[in-house]
Structures are given as structure tokens and as C-alpha cells.
Amino acid sequence: MTGAVRTGLRGAAWLLPAAIVLVALNFRGPIVAPAPVIGDIRADLGLTATVAGLLTTIPVLCFALATPLASWVIAKADPERAVSLSLVVVLVGTVIRSLPSTAGLLTGTAVIGIGITIGNVVVPVVIRRDTSPERVGLVTGVYTSALNVGSMTTSLATAPIAAVWGWPVAIALWAVLAVVAGLAWTYAVGARAAWRRPAVAEPVVETGPVDQVLGTGSVRTVPDTTSAGSVRPARRLITWGLTLAFGGQAFSYYALTAWIPTLLHDEIGFSKESSGASSSVFQILAVVGALGVPVLAAKWRPRAIIALVGFLWLAMPLGLLFAPQLWLLWSILGGAAQGGGITVIFIVIVRIVSSDADARRMSAFVQGGGYLIGSAGPLVAGSLHGATGDWTAPLLVVLVAVLTLGVVGSVAARRVA
């Protein structure tokens, strides 16, 4: 029986990460789904450019403003239920958004933003709690990679679907991903619970908070996750440093994501279609950074990784400023850096928290404040471009945000092993 339990545990060990990947596909893809068909949406509903821009701005604002709500929901429900709830909310929001009306479009977008916010906060908690220390970095990297894969998938597939069935069907079909992820999550959680249940005939030796019985008279203990004695995030300097670093990352990412197509059109003369496709390199290369950072984390301290990420990130604004014709090189370096930036910050959070409650509060604080800063990225970059008529000022602002990530982040993580 013990051998069967161990084999089952090894088999079930990857069920949860696999389910997390499917869950992550729903946490960025729905945000960018309307972008490829925004022209059709505006034509059908008579939207102004400002209202159309809200389809990207609203979710990012939700990431910031709805984070306290998300933290409260996670505190009231266990993490498993919180993940399920986030998928249900995303599903409902996707259906509402597909209704051919301005009210439905904006309401559904806000609902999607709230659902994703819950998921943003709770998934790092789940990874921290249920992944062995040697695999935390890898699972975190896979999770952040899946976020970008979700964005890439919806960006590439929405327009072809809309060409056949129309934009409401095209953006509604992505609700299927939420259903699939929900089923996979339910199965993974159930399988995990079944394998963690010890056989009745085998004695259990209780030596503290028991996480998993490994065999007769053998236990694995984990830290008590119910302790309330940890210092609150707002009273820790590292929290503020990570929040500013995350804000610099988010500001740079959303500013460039919103304006790279226009910049390439203006500076190089790409057609709007070509510049849109070219900017996808910036998104796709994030997978390299997200998976590469955990490999480095096995040997390097987080401080060194953040410094490296910041250095590579600098290539994007500086390169586009002085040599925009080499946009492909800058997109490769910047894309890898932006994927690595969010990953390393999540890894630092996981390493410094002392309990599930601490992880929830720290994740909520850093992401809430960081996304609040990040939500200003597209607006600030666009306003500066409109005021000056060129891209120098916007790229300089992105440069400052990247330096904030690299300098403040590496200082904040200087004592993290």
C-alpha cells in the first residue's frame, strides 16, 4: 500500500501544475481578446476611441482596485475555492462581454477584471503552499509563461474566428477555456486530496502540523500556516520595494504593449497589420524569460537576477529610441526580460513569506500597488506622444520605469537567499 501511495503521489504531483497552466490561460487572454476585432466592435456599437481604450484599461485598474476584495474573498474561502470562483467569474464576464451592446461590453470587461484579480492573488499562494521548495521556481515560471501563451493564443485566433462567425461569437468562445480549466482544476484538487489521505490500516505518527503521510510511521511536516504572528506587509520595507519594482515592470509592459504597433508604424513605416504582428514578438519571447529565470534561481540570488532582468529590459526603450530599425532584436531582449521580471518578483514573494496568510497579504499588496502604477502606463505614454508628436518622451518614461524595476527591485531583494 505504501508503494502505491508513493507512486500515486509522484503521479499526482504534476496534476496541480498542469491545472495551474490551464487556469493561467484565462488570466491574460481575455484581456487582449477584443483587440484584434476592435474595429468591428467600434463599427457595430459606435464606440469612440476613448471608450474602446477602456477595454484594456478597465482590467488593469481592477487588478489594482479589486485586490483588497480578492484578498478578502481568499481569506473567507480556501485557496482551492478561490481559484474555482475566479474561473466562474471570468466565465460569466466573458459571456456578458459578448452581448452586442456597449453596456454589456464594459460590464463584462469589469467582471472579467475582478475574476482575474482573484486569480492573480491566489495562484502564487497555491504555488507556495503546494509545491516543494526545489520546484517553486519552475512552477512559477511555467505559470507566468502560460499567462503569455494565453495572450498570444487569443491575439492570433480571435480575428479568424470573427471572420467566420462575427466578433460576439469570437470573444465568447474563449469562455470554453474557463470551463476546461475549471474541470481540470476540480479533478487535480480531488486527486490530490485522495492521494494525501493515509490508508486506515497504517499508523500515523503525529509530530506537529502534518502535511502528508509518506508511509508507516513516517510523516512530512510543514510550517504552521495558521499563525497570525507575521508582520503585516505594509510594515516591511521589502514590500514597498517589491511593489515599486512590480509597478515599474507593469508600467513598462502595458505602455509598450499598447503603443508598439503605432510606434513601429510611425518610425519604420510598417503597415498597421505588419506592425501589429511584429509586436507579438515582444509577447512570445516572455516565455523564454519566464522559464529561464527559475533555472537561474537555482544558482543565483534573486538580487542578481533582478539586476540582469533590468539590464535586458533597458534594451527595449533605448534600442527603440536610438535604433528603431533593429526592433526585432530589442523586442527579443525586452520580451524575455518582461517575462522574467514578473517571474522573479513572484519567486521573491514566495521565499520571504512565512505562512499562507502572509503569502496572501503580500501577494495582494505587491500586485495591487504595482498594477495601480502599471495602469497609468498606456495613458502616460499616449499623452506624452500626443503632446510632443514623437516617441522620445514616452520611451524615456518607460526607461525610468525599467530602471525602477532593476534598481529598487535589486535593493529590496538584497537579503533574500
Side-chain angles (χ1 to χ4, degrees), residues 69-79 82 360:
L69 172 64
S71 183
W72 178 83
V73 168
I74 297 166
K76 294 298 181 181
D78 59 57
R360 170 180 56 80

Side-chain angles (χ1 to χ4, degrees), residues 26 28 49 59 92 135 164 170 232 245 397:
N26 294 273
R28 289 299 179 273
V92 172
R135 290 173 54 210
V164 178
R232 291 191 174 277
V397 171

